[in-house]
Amino acid sequence: MTHRPNDPAPEIERLVRAVEERLIAVRRDLHAHPETGFDTIRTAAIVAGELRALGLTPKTGVGRTGVVAEITGGRPGPCLILRADMDALPIHEETGLPFASTIPGKMHACGHDLHTASLLGAAAALVQLAPTLAGTVRLIFQPAEETQESGAAAMVADGAADGVDMAIAFHNRPELPVGQILLNRGASTASSDEFRVVLHGKSGHAARPHAAIDPIIGAAHVLTQLQTVISREMDPALSAVLTVGHIAGGATQNIIPDSCMFEGTVRCRSPQSRDLAEAAFRRICTGAAAGLNLRAEVDYVRGAPPLMNDDHMITRTAEALSAQFGAPTVVEPGSSFGAEDFSYFSERVPSVQIFIGSGQPGRDDRVHNSDYQPDEGCIAQSAIALTRMATEFLS
């Protein structure tokens, strides 16, 4: 691969490769000692120690167990977040690796150990490159990405996004080989909202249904009408998914119950479709129930918003990474309905999430799998990509 004069690619590569062995060692240590949710106490202590060894002054306990540190550039400029998540999953590991989880029922099955090590690698490179930067890099090591109680929201509440101008996140992608990077225009992930609806009627004997008000029949009507939220109220270009995953009512075969409950999720890939879906959901539940002489009790809880990539940042990122790695970076519309709480940052400042290939040759891995074995080559790849993006946006 050849580079233009003054191209930072060779120096970025050299700086990251110099610490790659250490990054792999840190990743394996974290992998053997996974911590879930906000309980990332040991992980945060290791991160803070690595940052201090780089000459930085990390702040711990942000968003309960998050870690924040800043690298100040040689010239004034904007503040850019680089964020990695640290938490593991409540999954029992079955890889048989020498550094497999030592904690029963917990495993880094989503690769957040890779992410943490990668951001430490970018930090090591950016400390050396700091005199060339115009602005500040804020390193965010976040707990509780895998939980409904969001670590990102907790860190934002503690000021982690204050004074920030841009933000970058990344995630390993085992469907892609190491060396391939994917960017999404528009939404990278969807919002994740939950609902629980109780339809209240009047109990009675199955032989005298006219003396009762049947909430089970009511639930059947409401559930059917709720599907029109997606099929008839949404712009087809604004995709969304409404799923009822649980329904319960009654206790025996010959009694009409007092109430029937159902619950599920709504996932939307734009703020506009999210607002529309909630309003339509509430209207249909209350209106359809009232038409059947039932009372609807609607509990609709918003979770992570959709993660919206800034279009300008996507374009600059694709150009910078193509120059760094000497091959075109894949850019395509997003299609995932999964959720990612980095969206709490992306709804505040222009942001971008990138996906780094982590697939091992000959394997067909997926995240959240008890036999998940990503290629550790993605650690250096991620660190190089993050470093190049930081130098691009703080040039």
Short mmCIF file of all heavy atoms in Angstrom, two decimals, residues 34 60 81 108 229 253 289 358 364 386:
data_model
loop_
_atom_site.label_atom_id
_atom_site.label_comp_id
_atom_site.label_asym_id
_atom_site.label_seq_id
_atom_site.Cartn_x
_atom_site.Cartn_y
_atom_site.Cartn_z
N PRO A 34 -15.80 -11.31 33.00
CA PRO A 34 -16.89 -10.47 32.50
C PRO A 34 -17.74 -9.89 33.63
O PRO A 34 -17.94 -10.54 34.66
CB PRO A 34 -17.71 -11.43 31.64
CG PRO A 34 -17.46 -12.77 32.26
CD PRO A 34 -16.03 -12.75 32.72
N THR A 60 -13.57 8.51 37.16
CA THR A 60 -14.33 7.27 37.33
C THR A 60 -15.68 7.56 37.98
O THR A 60 -15.93 8.66 38.47
CB THR A 60 -13.54 6.26 38.16
OG1 THR A 60 -13.27 6.83 39.44
CG2 THR A 60 -12.23 5.90 37.48
N ILE A 81 -16.30 12.93 21.02
CA ILE A 81 -16.41 11.72 21.84
C ILE A 81 -16.02 10.50 21.02
O ILE A 81 -16.45 10.34 19.88
CB ILE A 81 -17.84 11.54 22.38
CG1 ILE A 81 -18.08 12.44 23.60
CG2 ILE A 81 -18.12 10.08 22.76
CD1 ILE A 81 -19.50 12.36 24.13
N HIS A 108 -18.61 -12.34 27.68
CA HIS A 108 -18.53 -11.29 26.68
C HIS A 108 -18.94 -11.88 25.33
O HIS A 108 -18.11 -12.19 24.48
CB HIS A 108 -17.13 -10.70 26.61
CG HIS A 108 -16.91 -9.57 27.58
ND1 HIS A 108 -17.55 -8.35 27.42
CD2 HIS A 108 -16.16 -9.48 28.70
CE1 HIS A 108 -17.18 -7.55 28.42
NE2 HIS A 108 -16.36 -8.21 29.21
N VAL A 229 -51.31 0.12 12.72
CA VAL A 229 -50.36 1.19 13.02
C VAL A 229 -49.22 1.16 12.00
O VAL A 229 -48.81 2.20 11.46
CB VAL A 229 -49.80 1.07 14.45
CG1 VAL A 229 -48.69 2.09 14.68
CG2 VAL A 229 -50.91 1.26 15.48
N GLN A 253 -61.45 -22.40 32.24
CA GLN A 253 -62.11 -22.43 30.93
C GLN A 253 -63.54 -21.91 30.92
O GLN A 253 -64.08 -21.60 29.87
CB GLN A 253 -62.09 -23.87 30.37
CG GLN A 253 -63.06 -24.82 31.03
CD GLN A 253 -62.48 -25.49 32.27
OE1 GLN A 253 -61.51 -25.00 32.85
NE2 GLN A 253 -63.08 -26.60 32.66
N ALA A 289 -61.02 -0.22 22.81
CA ALA A 289 -61.52 -0.75 24.08
C ALA A 289 -62.85 -0.09 24.45
O ALA A 289 -63.81 -0.76 24.85
CB ALA A 289 -60.48 -0.54 25.18
N SER A 358 -15.31 -8.60 12.28
CA SER A 358 -14.62 -9.38 13.31
C SER A 358 -14.74 -10.88 13.08
O SER A 358 -14.42 -11.68 13.96
CB SER A 358 -15.19 -9.03 14.70
OG SER A 358 -16.57 -9.35 14.77
N ASP A 364 -19.20 -19.08 11.50
CA ASP A 364 -20.44 -18.37 11.19
C ASP A 364 -21.00 -17.82 12.48
O ASP A 364 -22.08 -18.20 12.94
CB ASP A 364 -21.44 -19.33 10.51
CG ASP A 364 -22.71 -18.61 10.08
OD1 ASP A 364 -22.63 -17.38 9.85
OD2 ASP A 364 -23.76 -19.26 10.00
N LEU A 386 -10.61 4.33 14.60
CA LEU A 386 -11.00 5.40 15.52
C LEU A 386 -9.97 6.52 15.53
O LEU A 386 -10.32 7.71 15.56
CB LEU A 386 -11.17 4.84 16.94
CG LEU A 386 -12.33 3.87 17.15
CD1 LEU A 386 -12.24 3.25 18.55
CD2 LEU A 386 -13.67 4.57 16.96
#
